[in-house]
Amino acid sequence: MNDRVPPTAPVPLATLLGHPALGLRQVAGAREADTPVYFVHTSEMEDPVPYLLGGELLLSAGVHCPEAAGAGTYWDRYVARTVQAGAAALGFGIAPVHDTVPRALVEACDRHGLPLVEVPRQTTFTAVASAVWDAMAERRHHELRSVTEAQQSLATAAARPHPVPAVLRQLGQHLGAWTVLYGPDGAELAAAGPRPDRPARTALGALAARLRSGPSSAAGRAAGADGEELQLTAYGLGGPAGPEDRLALGVCAPRRDGADGAIVGVAVVLLSLLTARRVVGAEAERTAALVRLMLGADPARVAGLLSPSPGQAGTPPEGRSGTREDGGLWTVVHGRRRGRGRDDGLLATAALAAGLGTPLVDLDGDALCALVPGEGAVRAQPGWTLGVGAPVAAAELPRGGADAARALRRAVAGRVPLVRHGPSRAGGVVSLVDPAEAGAHGRALLAPLDGAPALLETVRVWLSLHGSWDRTAVALEVHRNTVRQRIARAEALLDVDLGDADVRMELWFALKWA
C-alpha cells in the first residue's frame, strides 16, 4: 500500500464476501482473507490509474470493453494497470453489458494475483459501497472503544504500587504481545506477556539499540516458533536524558491493527512519565552507599560504590521534614520481601522510594534498608514486611537501625506487614533511674553473656515476644528447639529462673539500658 492511503479502518475483503445480502463471489486472483479494502470506486474508464489512490475495491461492469474487444490482450493490460495503481480487488458486475465474467479477465487476474469478485445481477454497486461504509463505521467504533478501554486500564495500572510492571502487563494483554522495558545498556528491566523465542528477542533488542543513535522508534519483523510472522516495534521513552541514556519500550506482537498504535502511544507516554525520575545506575549505588555510611558501615567497604558525578538536587516529599544543617530526625526502616518478587533492581528501588517517600533506599536482594527524613508516618508496602524504628537524630542512627531490625523480627514473627518500635515513654519508673547507673547495672547483670551474641539476641527477642518459642524461632530463622536450648543455656550462665516474671522484667530493663 502506498503512503497516499489515509489512516482509516479498512474492511477485510472476506467480510464483503461473507455479507449475505450482497451475494459476492471471488472467481480469480489471490485468495487472502485479510486483504484490506479502504475505498470503493466505480469507473468505466479504460485506464483507471489516474483516479485511484490505492486500496480500493474497483467496481466495473465492463462498459469500456465490449464482448468482442475482450478476446485479445485488452483485459491483461487493464488488470496490469489496476494492480500498478494499488487496487485491493476488482469487482465485476454481471449486467448490463456482460452475462458472465469474461474468461480473459479471469485468466488475467490469476496471472497478476488481483482478487476478482463477481457482483451478481441483483446487487447494485451502491449496495456494495454502502456495505463497505457500514463495515468501516462499525470497525472504527470498535477501535475507538478498544482504545478507550485500554486508556482506562493503562491509567489504572500506572496508579498501582508497582506501576511500570503493571503498565507492561496491561499493554501486553491488550495487544496479545510480549512487552519489555530496556535499560540504557540494553538490559531487560521488566517484561510481560508470552515470551518469544531467542531470535525474536534478539531482533527486538537490536531495534531498541538503534534508538540510541537518535530515532524515536524502529520497526521490523521476525519469524515465530511456528513460522508465524511477528511484528517488532521499539519506542524510545521521553525525558531529559539523551538517546544514549534513555529507556526503550519493545513490543513483539503476532499482529498489528489500527487501534494498536494509539494504545501503544498511551503506554509510551505513561512509561515516560513513570521513569522520568527513576533511580538508575551509579545514582542507585551512591544512594545505597550513603545509607550504609550513615548507619555506621566501614567507609572502606562502601567506597567502591561512590563515584564522582555532578550534584543532583532533591526535594523531600511534600508533608515530610527534610534534612537540616543539624541533621534533623530520621526514621530507619528495615524490610524483608514476602514471597517471590516480581521485579528487582532499578524498578523495585524506584517503587519503594516512591512508596516510602525517600530516595535513600538500599535494596539488597530480599532485604531492604531505608532512611526516611523526619517523623512522617511510614506505610506498609505491597510484598514487603517492614520494621520501623523510632525517629532519631543523625548521631543515633545505629540505635535507630537496631530498633528497626528488632521491629522487623517482631513483624516477621507475628506475620504482620509492619511493626513500629515505640520510643520509651517519658516519666514512669524508668525516669526514676539514673541512666548511667542503669547502664552499669545492666552490663554487670548481662556480663555472663559477653562473647555470646547469639544467646544475648535470643533472650532479647524471646522476651520481646512474651516468651513465645514459635514466634521467636520464626523471627530468628532457627528451629524452636534451638531457641529452647539457647534460653536454657542463658539461664545457666546468668544463674536465674526465666520462668519468674520479676527476673524477666529485670532482664528486659537491663537489655534496654546496657
Side-chain angles (χ1 to χ4, degrees), residues 401-471:
D403 291 342
R406 285 193 286 271
L408 174 60
R409 285 194 291 270
R410 294 201 300 273
V412 171
R415 294 181 174 84
V416 293
L418 184 147
V419 167
R420 306 177 192 278
H421 179 85
S424 298
R425 293 179 297 173
V429 176
V430 175
S431 64
L432 303 178
V433 182
D434 178 73
E437 293 181 3
H441 173 72
R443 288 188 293 272
L445 183 60
L446 298 172
L449 299 184
D450 287 349
L455 294 182
L456 186 65
E457 187 62 16
T458 301
V459 171
R460 184 194 303 274
V461 175
W462 184 74
L463 290 174
S464 72
L465 295 175
H466 310 293
S468 170
W469 306 108
D470 291 332
R471 294 172 63 191

Side-chain angles (χ1 to χ4, degrees), residues 31 67 102 131 156 164 189 199 205 213 254 259 300 331 443 458 484-485:
R31 299 178 182 272
E67 190 75 34
T156 300
V164 172
L189 301 182
S213 61
T331 299
R443 288 188 293 272
T458 301
R484 290 182 179 274
Q485 293 168 4

Side-chain angles (χ1 to χ4, degrees), residues 368-379:
L368 159 71
C369 184
L371 295 182
V372 179
E375 304 176 66
V378 175
R379 294 175 297 179

Side-chain angles (χ1 to χ4, degrees), residues 286-296 314-317 320-334 353 356-362 369-378 387-405 420-423:
R286 289 192 295 274
T287 299
L290 176 59
V291 172
R292 296 176 192 180
L293 282 172
M294 296 183 73
L295 292 179
T315 302
R320 295 195 185 277
S321 302
T323 57
R324 305 189 304 268
E325 293 184 0
D326 62 358
L329 292 177
W330 294 87
T331 299
V332 183
V333 179
H334 282 192
L356 296 173
T358 176
L360 303 179
V361 174
D362 179 12
C369 184
L371 295 182
V372 179
E375 304 176 66
V378 175
V388 182
V392 294
E396 298 178 315
L397 281 173
R399 179 171 65 83
D403 291 342
R420 306 177 192 278
H421 179 85

Side-chain angles (χ1 to χ4, degrees), residues 64-98:
H64 53 88
C65 179
E67 190 75 34
T73 61
Y74 180 92
W75 284 119
D76 189 80
R77 292 194 304 272
Y78 180 82
V79 172
R81 290 289 285 166
T82 302
V83 171
Q84 180 183 347
L90 173 64
F92 193 85
I94 304 304
V97 179
H98 300 270

Side-chain angles (χ1 to χ4, degrees), residues 108-119:
C109 286
D110 279 333
R111 278 195 301 274
H112 294 281
L114 178 67
L116 175 61
V117 177
E118 178 187 88
V119 182

